[in-house]
Amino acid sequence: MTSSAPVGPHFTECISREQETFRCWWSPGGFHNLSFPGALRVFYLKKDSPNSEWKECPEYSHLKRECFFDVNHTSVWIPYCMQLRGQNNVTYLDEDYCFTVENIVRPDPPVSLNWTLLNISPSGLSYDVMVNWEPPPSADVGAGWMRIEYEIQYTERNTTNWEALEMQPHTQQTIYGLQIGKEYEVHIRCRMQAFVKFGEFSDSVFIQVTEIPSQDSNFPFKLALIFGVLGILILILLIGISQQPRLMMILLPPVPAPKIKGIDPELLKKGKLDELNFILSGGGMGGLSTYAPDFYQDEPWVEFIEVDAEDADAAEKEENQGSDTQRLLDPPQPVSHHMNTGCANAVSFPDDDSGRASCYDPDLHDQDTLMLMATLLPGQPEDGEDSFDRPLVQTQTGGPQTWLNTDFYAQVSNVMPSGGVVLSPGQQLRFQESTSAAEDEAQKKGKGSEDSEEKTQKELQFQLLVVDPEGSGYTTESNARQISTPPNTPMPGSGYQTIHPQPVETKPAATAENNQSPYILPDSPQSQFFAPVADYTVVQEVDSQHSLLLNPPPRQSPPPCLPHHPTKALAAMPVGYVTPDLLGNLSP
Amino acid sequence: MLLIWCAVLILACLELSTRVGTAPICSYGQAGCHTPSLADIFDRVIQQSSRMHGISSDLHSEFEQYFFPSKNLIGKPKCHTHGIVTPADKENAQRLGREQLTEVILRLLGAWGDPLLQLYRSMSQDQNQDFNHYSSNKALEISDMVHELRDGVAKMAEKMKLSGVLGNTVGYISPEGLVPSSSFSFYKHGELNSMDHHDLLYCFRRDSNKIKNYLQILKCTTLPGLDC
């Protein structure tokens, strides 16, 4: 509906620019008779005290229809109410126009708007610009009286879709992503923080960055590329043409191949292992002697893998001594000798350190020996009789060679009820060693106390059962009376060894012998066999002390029911384990 | 022996007493309390006051928008802090001096602690569900802010005293001494309604703006720097 009623005189706006002064503008509205200057008067009420009065505008500007309140008349945070009155004190407004100064602040626009180019994108299509300015001079930002935040807007020239950036209180801001070649128009405005009314926009500033000729940037790059390729080609040509050995050495150093002194490098090639083995084993012309032909005369820088020729002959002999168990079980002094030879036996490089690194550390030997002894002989009672241990070990020290030439790992073929373990190592036994060892053992035993002797003797029964038939690794330890080994029943092909009962006559001899030593000795040391070990041995009987006997005890009074029957049965039995029913026959 | 013990005790007491006096100032109780500089404290305090003023403005404009479309009720409400004499323009504020300005700030902050809490309680209990949760949370927020800000300004004053910037005339102002304890009765006996809320918010908006401005003036006269 069209309002026919004319709008009366009213205030258009009151604005403060710096929160220190403010102005109010009015308009006569439809009342044209009031448009002449002085027809309308402005009155204000400053509510700073309960009995405040309406006062007239302190400063008129009739041309502009403006009422100006200077610093003396301006108070912030105090409500002002404005009134327009005519000549005859007629109030033309129903409601007073009231405000507080801080709410009508519209700051002046910032000044000195300026821009600088930040960077251009690698594609050369867009760029970033840093815009900076000064706060409006009228706003006393320096005293902290006003805190201002700014808003930048920019657009393409001659368009009006202005893009506004985020408000921020600093006096500079970056515009990102402007496009090369286009012209942009930028202006800025500001307002007080936490207030709503913006000031006027500043004057616009124009930004334009034109294209930079890109050939210059590409040209040197292409040139450099071409030159680089050419240079590489020339270099390759030079290398190919010159074939200087020195140059070749620098550029393409030779790959080291195995070179053993005294051995023709041809033999080291694939497929010639037999000849190599032959030479290395000392055959032929003694290929490893120092007088071996020098195959590498023209390559003086070659480092050789050296093989120690001295021990090549004794390689086989040393093989057993060099076994791991040997080294570990041997006593310190002799074993150190062994160790060194073992070390020398190993392939050693000219570098001294590397040779020894592969050997066992002699320092660790003692403890390890004891440890190994303990582990290999787990049949010891829980009390852990050290006294027994030491004599055993000391027997080793007595003899230059070991009593037990076993591998490092020994297979446990059986476990005694008492806890003893039956081992079956894979190596030979030196009977001579064990003899001497036994003698020493007897001597050592004499040193010990009687009690310990008895104990040890008793314990011997519970000790490791090591059967030693014809050169196998077994040495059984049991009641000395009861076991003797048959040296002359070789069954090398069989996996088991049956131990047949000896005639009783031989028993005392063996017994007597065995009384002195806990070890089983074969009657004829000559009959040493270096045959491979028997892994298993048939248990013939279980004696009164619950040790498994590989030879049944002599039966003074054979049981009436079974006179030699079990043994005969066993004898007749093919090689194998004792079956449970036979086991019952074995029990004493 | 006894003498030694006595000496040790005395020394310990002295050390403790001196330590109380030179306790590091940790604004707003941040962890790993290293002493911030006066500039830092000023910045934080001013930021806080700005935020407080912003939130109170938002709340007030929400009220105006939803409840009081007419804008010309300004001038009607009388605020309970009218008793506190505050400088009304820049020259007066600058002429007041740092000590008195700080005192005015502390008075204002002290006067608003309780009323804002009352406001929040009243708003959250309001049966009229026109208030959304957001508005009552804002009231709680500004209530907390006032307390924090008061502590912060107190610490700032302490630090200023220590560094000699502030004279010793700024005494400890107890909140009870600023305004009568029944300040809320100024507005209305009994429960508050929306009108009271609106009045409160109008008053607080104005006072928070005063606080912000005074703090800014204080900072820029004490430490003129980048932000001034």
Side-chain angles (χ1 to χ4, degrees):
Chain A
M1 128 181 129
T2 58
S3 62
S4 55
V7 180
H10 58 275
F11 285 99
T12 48
E13 203 175 9
C14 290
I15 292 176
S16 170
R17 284 167 55 211
E18 73 289 88
Q19 212 174 353
E20 292 173 55
T21 65
F22 68 99
R23 293 155 207 271
C24 286
W25 293 275
W26 74 88
S27 153
F31 293 17
H32 296 288
N33 53 345
L34 297 170
S35 59
F36 65 91
L40 287 166
R41 294 185 300 164
V42 174
F43 281 86
Y44 71 94
L45 181 65
K46 190 172 167 185
K47 295 184 180 176
D48 53 355
S49 58
N51 39 346
S52 53
E53 294 167 346
W54 286 93
K55 293 175 190 170
E56 196 164 356
C57 171
E59 192 173 327
Y60 279 104
S61 174
H62 289 283
L63 289 170
K64 294 185 273 184
R65 295 203 191 104
E66 172 194 290
C67 180
F68 174 67
F69 292 80
D70 61 357
V71 181
N72 299 328
H73 292 93
T74 307
S75 298
V76 193
W77 303 300
I78 293 176
Y80 282 82
C81 288
M82 313 297 290
Q83 260 185 0
L84 275 173
R85 293 180 190 177
Q87 293 287 349
N88 48 0
N89 278 352
V90 173
T91 311
Y92 285 99
L93 284 172
D94 295 331
E95 291 175 358
D96 295 337
Y97 178 51
C98 297
F99 56 84
T100 50
V101 175
E102 73 271 15
N103 288 319
I104 59 165
V105 174
R106 291 183 189 269
D108 286 338
V111 294
S112 310
L113 194 56
N114 204 356
W115 66 276
T116 52
L117 181 66
L118 275 183
N119 53 36
I120 300 179
S121 68
S123 62
L125 296 174
S126 62
Y127 58 97
D128 302 334
V129 152
M130 172 73 84
V131 188
N132 50 55
W133 59 89
E134 295 289 324
S138 58
D140 197 352
V141 187
W145 184 238
M146 283 172 72
R147 273 172 84 90
I148 298 179
E149 52 190 15
Y150 305 94
E151 188 191 53
I152 283 193
Q153 292 182 2
Y154 69 96
T155 182
E156 280 183 46
R157 197 165 189 184
N158 298 334
T159 63
T160 51
N161 56 338
W162 290 92
E163 185 132 355
L165 297 182
E166 201 177 338
M167 297 263 285
Q168 47 88 32
H170 306 292
T171 56
Q172 62 182 20
Q173 199 165 8
T174 311
I175 306 178
Y176 297 100
L178 297 177
Q179 290 183 11
I180 296 235
K182 289 187 184 174
E183 194 173 3
Y184 291 92
E185 186 179 346
V186 178
H187 61 200
I188 188 171
R189 63 177 180 175
C190 60
R191 72 172 184 194
M192 282 227 296
Q193 278 185 1
F195 287 97
V196 217
K197 296 192 176 182
F198 276 103
E200 290 287 324
F201 276 108
S202 66
D203 293 334
S204 288
V205 155
F206 298 96
I207 298 175
Q208 190 177 27
V209 176
T210 51
E211 267 194 46
I212 299 165
S214 57
Q215 294 165 356
D216 291 332
S217 56
N218 285 340
F219 184 63
F221 177 69
K222 284 179 193 169
L223 209 62
L225 195 66
I226 290 166
F227 269 116
V229 169
L230 275 174
I232 290 168
L233 283 171
I234 290 168
L235 205 65
I236 291 169
L237 275 171
L238 278 172
I239 291 164
I241 287 171
S242 63
Q243 282 287 333
Q244 286 268 334
R246 272 183 103 180
L247 199 63
M248 293 296 284
M249 198 59 59
I250 293 165
L251 290 173
L252 305 168
V255 176
K259 295 177 172 52
I260 301 177
K261 196 170 188 179
I263 293 180
D264 192 351
E266 282 298 311
L267 289 178
L268 293 173
K269 291 186 182 170
K270 191 177 175 181
K272 304 198 180 147
L273 205 57
D274 295 334
E275 289 107 338
L276 195 61
N277 280 339
F278 182 63
I279 290 175
L280 279 175
S281 61
M285 299 193 23
L288 294 178
S289 69
T290 50
Y291 306 106
D294 191 359
F295 287 103
Y296 299 96
Q297 285 167 343
D298 54 346
E299 294 172 2
W301 61 82
V302 169
E303 281 188 6
F304 286 107
I305 300 166
E306 286 184 5
V307 179
D308 200 341
E310 293 171 337
D311 292 327
D313 299 333
E316 214 173 30
K317 180 187 150 203
E318 292 292 337
E319 189 185 2
N320 297 327
Q321 288 182 354
S323 76
D324 298 341
T325 312
Q326 206 71 20
R327 290 194 211 102
L328 286 166
L329 295 181
D330 277 346
Q333 293 161 0
V335 172
S336 60
H337 160 69
H338 283 226
M339 302 282 262
N340 286 336
T341 51
C343 286
N345 202 17
V347 172
S348 64
F349 292 93
D351 189 9
D352 285 339
D353 293 337
S354 57
R356 230 171 274 129
S358 59
C359 297
Y360 295 101
D361 191 1
D363 297 334
L364 293 172
H365 171 69
D366 294 334
Q367 292 165 8
D368 281 357
T369 306
L370 283 171
M371 290 277 293
L372 264 171
M373 291 302 296
T375 50
L376 282 174
L377 306 171
Q380 295 179 15
E382 295 300 318
D383 308 334
E385 285 281 321
D386 289 340
S387 58
F388 177 74
D389 212 7
R390 286 205 195 90
L392 199 61
V393 176
Q394 281 159 8
T395 50
Q396 319 303 316
T397 55
Q401 318 253 336
T402 54
W403 60 277
L404 180 65
N405 184 21
T406 56
D407 270 336
F408 189 66
Y409 301 102
Q411 181 182 3
V412 173
S413 63
N414 230 329
V415 179
M416 290 162 50
S418 62
V421 171
V422 180
L423 292 183
S424 69
Q427 296 277 340
Q428 332 150 356
L429 178 73
R430 312 257 169 188
F431 301 117
Q432 294 157 347
E433 301 159 6
S434 55
T435 311
S436 58
E439 286 170 1
D440 289 339
E441 217 280 340
Q443 289 168 16
K444 299 290 182 199
K445 282 187 84 175
K447 282 184 192 172
S449 64
E450 284 181 314
D451 290 338
S452 62
E453 262 188 56
E454 286 166 4
K455 266 193 206 168
T456 49
Q457 277 208 335
K458 276 185 188 165
E459 285 157 5
L460 289 179
Q461 303 160 13
F462 303 106
Q463 286 309 315
L464 174 71
L465 263 178
V466 186
V467 175
D468 176 36
E470 62 216 24
S472 75
Y474 277 111
T475 51
T476 50
E477 225 185 286
S478 69
N479 201 325
R481 300 174 304 239
Q482 289 162 2
I483 295 181
S484 71
T485 55
N488 47 9
T489 54
M491 289 165 84
S494 70
Y496 310 101
Q497 296 280 344
T498 45
I499 298 174
H500 301 284
Q502 292 285 323
V504 184
E505 300 85 355
T506 61
K507 285 270 192 251
T511 307
E513 241 183 292
N514 286 335
N515 261 333
Q516 289 172 6
S517 80
Y519 306 106
I520 305 303
L521 307 171
D523 293 340
S524 55
Q526 295 90 1
S527 61
Q528 307 173 15
F529 291 96
F530 294 82
V533 66
D535 284 337
Y536 306 103
T537 298
V538 178
V539 175
Q540 297 289 340
E541 208 169 316
V542 179
D543 72 346
S544 55
Q545 279 81 20
H546 301 287
S547 54
L548 292 172
L549 303 179
L550 300 172
N551 267 343
R555 293 191 179 271
Q556 308 297 342
S557 54
C561 298
L562 299 166
H564 295 289
H565 180 60
T567 54
K568 272 188 189 167
L570 284 171
M573 205 178 69
V575 174
Y577 277 111
V578 177
T579 52
D581 51 344
L582 289 175
L583 185 66
N585 298 333
L586 290 176
S587 56
Chain B
M1 205 39 202
L2 196 65
L3 274 173
I4 293 167
W5 269 110
C6 287
V8 166
L9 274 171
I10 289 165
L11 280 172
C13 287
L14 278 173
E15 203 202 332
L16 278 172
S17 61
T18 53
R19 201 178 289 171
V20 167
T22 60
I25 297 169
C26 300
S27 305
Y28 316 124
Q30 73 263 33
C33 227
H34 63 280
T35 318
S37 66
L38 188 61
D40 287 340
I41 298 181
F42 259 120
D43 284 339
R44 287 179 199 159
V45 157
I46 287 172
Q47 266 181 36
Q48 184 87 336
S49 66
S50 264
R51 271 187 64 216
M52 194 173 71
H53 176 238
I55 295 174
S56 68
S57 292
D58 291 342
L59 257 181
H60 180 254
S61 57
E62 272 179 37
F63 262 92
E64 293 237 296
Q65 191 176 354
Y66 291 116
F67 295 96
F68 308 103
S70 62
K71 295 178 188 177
N72 288 331
L73 294 172
I74 291 171
K76 223 181 75 177
K78 204 166 183 195
C79 300
H80 73 285
T81 52
H82 70 280
I84 303 171
V85 176
T86 56
D89 54 41
K90 187 177 74 174
E91 278 111 19
N92 283 338
Q94 284 172 332
R95 234 179 282 145
L96 206 58
R98 290 190 213 116
E99 292 84 1
Q100 281 183 302
L101 201 57
T102 312
E103 197 167 330
V104 165
I105 294 167
L106 285 168
R107 275 173 185 262
L108 281 170
L109 285 168
W112 276 104
D114 272 341
L116 282 175
L117 210 55
Q118 294 275 347
L119 174 71
Y120 165 66
R121 284 195 204 120
S122 173
M123 277 174 78
S124 53
Q125 286 166 8
D126 203 329
Q127 301 301 322
N128 184 3
Q129 288 301 318
D130 290 346
F131 288 124
N132 54 3
H133 206 53
Y134 190 52
S135 297
S136 65
N137 279 349
K138 273 191 190 167
L140 181 64
E141 199 176 346
I142 57 178
S143 166
D144 290 338
M145 271 187 195
V146 159
H147 287 100
E148 286 174 11
L149 197 56
R150 206 177 91 203
D151 293 338
V153 172
K155 282 175 187 157
M156 186 188 78
E158 283 297 320
K159 195 151 176 101
M160 283 166 78
K161 272 190 210 173
L162 285 173
S163 50
V165 173
L166 207 62
N168 279 329
T169 57
V170 183
Y172 177 72
I173 298 162
S174 64
E176 292 77 24
L178 292 171
V179 283
S181 56
S182 59
S183 61
F184 227 54
S185 59
F186 176 85
Y187 293 99
K188 195 175 185 178
H189 290 283
E191 284 194 9
L192 302 173
N193 57 17
S194 327
M195 194 78 119
D196 302 321
H197 294 161
H198 177 258
D199 291 345
L200 257 178
L201 283 171
Y202 169 80
C203 290
F204 182 66
R205 181 171 170 237
R206 197 189 68 182
D207 282 349
S208 64
N209 192 25
K210 279 188 193 177
I211 291 164
K212 182 174 90 170
N213 268 34
Y214 297 156
L215 280 170
Q216 278 164 205
I217 290 171
L218 197 60
K219 191 226 170 185
C220 290
T221 53
T222 312
L223 300 168
L226 290 168
D227 291 337
C228 289

